[in-house]
Amino acid sequence: FGIHALLMVAVTLSPVTVAAQSENDVTGEDAYPPLWDLAPENLLDFPVKDNKIVISAWNYQDRLGLYKSLLNASAKYFGAFGPQNSGNILWGLPLQHGWQFRTGRLADPSGVTSCGYENGELLCQSVRSWWSCMNYYLAIIPFLGAVEAGLFGQLPYQIEILPPEEQKDDFCYSVEDCWSQMPKLMDDWKAFFEVNNFTSFKLDDALGLMWKAHTTSIAYALPKFKDRLKYLSDPEANFGEDWANAVDFIAATHFSTDLQTTNDFQTFLPQRMLVEGDVLPSISDFSPEQNNVLVSLRVLHKANKLTGGLLLKLWQKAMSTEAGRKMGRKLIESVTSS
């Protein structure tokens, strides 16, 4: 039943009519997250104070700079997979974050502050934003795991992550702090970034380690930030939870998160926040494909809940071989093919 249900979902994910792949290719500036060129290139581009590299985790450009530093530091290991580091599997993280920024998902959804709004502090990321809080565990934790794994070599300074103005206890701010609070999470990201893994790795193995750490981050953050969902409309809160559930299914296939594949995939995500009155599958300013994907994510989440998580377990079992994962990726990629 489980695999059959999932196949049905995959079929509904596959749009009836999609523009030809060549038209879908994202090139030029559009291929990169907003303000990518303005983000710090490497760690020594961040301000240094009291012998510490100071990073403002609640500023979009600083978070983007962490991703850029990770991509630049790991570029030499991914040269064989595409020109100009385009085959680096870390692209999925900043591109997803860029989509969140562009669609207003990092701004204060409670409306209490001007954090994240064009007429206020545009680059501010709100600690009341569910998306921004979830992303902390897919930005700061991977970065600190990479520092610990030696990806940046011997740094001349310590790292200082600045806390938000409120809800400070929901986060950790240094390698030591994060190790003591969430050893499993730090361990998974450190394992992915171990340089000796990178020197002689198979892409499938690297993707497996990255997705393992990615899903651990989400599993850790989900219950922690459930209270932030109250600031969102019901359709947006549902979509957030549906998306978090879907990541487990995507992860099991070792889906590639290089520059082009991630960009193709994100074409089908909603280009604005969902609001009260948005009814699936007929949101008028969304494409049929975007409506389709939202419906499919909802169905997948409900089916997985209904089976007490059995659907995911069956899917993971089906994806336990390279051949199975290849088939799983084909199903997902049917979203973005003609």
Side-chain angles (χ1 to χ4, degrees), residues 21-51:
Q21 185 74 30
S22 58
E23 289 173 34
N24 220 6
D25 280 359
V26 182
T27 51
E29 282 182 28
D30 288 346
Y32 300 94
L35 309 180
W36 184 249
D37 287 345
L38 300 177
E41 293 279 332
N42 60 60
L43 293 186
L44 297 180
D45 288 339
F46 286 92
V48 175
K49 191 181 175 189
D50 300 330
N51 252 7

Side-chain angles (χ1 to χ4, degrees), residues 66-192:
L66 292 186
Y67 287 133
K68 207 170 189 178
S69 303
L70 288 172
L71 276 155
N72 288 340
S74 60
K76 58 189 173 188
Y77 305 115
F78 289 94
F81 302 105
Q84 297 175 301
N85 206 19
S86 61
N88 194 320
I89 60 175
L90 287 169
W91 274 113
L93 295 172
L95 285 170
Q96 182 73 174
H97 196 48
W99 164 76
Q100 292 165 354
F101 175 76
R102 196 171 56 247
T103 58
R105 288 179 161 84
L106 304 178
D108 182 354
S110 72
V112 171
T113 70
S114 62
C115 178
Y117 292 98
E118 277 189 50
N119 59 354
E121 306 161 81
L122 179 62
L123 298 181
C124 171
Q125 291 194 203
S126 176
V127 75
R128 296 173 187 226
S129 158
W130 180 84
W131 292 96
S132 186
C133 292
M134 292 293 292
N135 179 263
Y136 193 93
Y137 285 83
L138 290 168
I140 307 305
I141 312 303
F143 165 70
L144 292 174
V147 169
E148 185 74 349
L151 184 71
F152 300 102
Q154 198 65 41
L155 288 170
Y157 308 106
Q158 287 183 295
I159 303 283
E160 183 182 5
I161 309 287
L162 298 180
E165 288 179 11
E166 53 181 321
Q167 313 279 357
K168 293 178 186 177
D169 292 347
D170 286 340
F171 309 96
C172 61
Y173 305 102
S174 67
V175 169
E176 299 73 27
D177 185 20
C178 295
W179 268 113
S180 67
Q181 282 194 47
M182 51 200 83
K184 169 84 173 78
L185 193 43
M186 284 289 286
D187 206 39
D188 280 358
W189 280 110
K190 181 174 181 271
F192 168 67

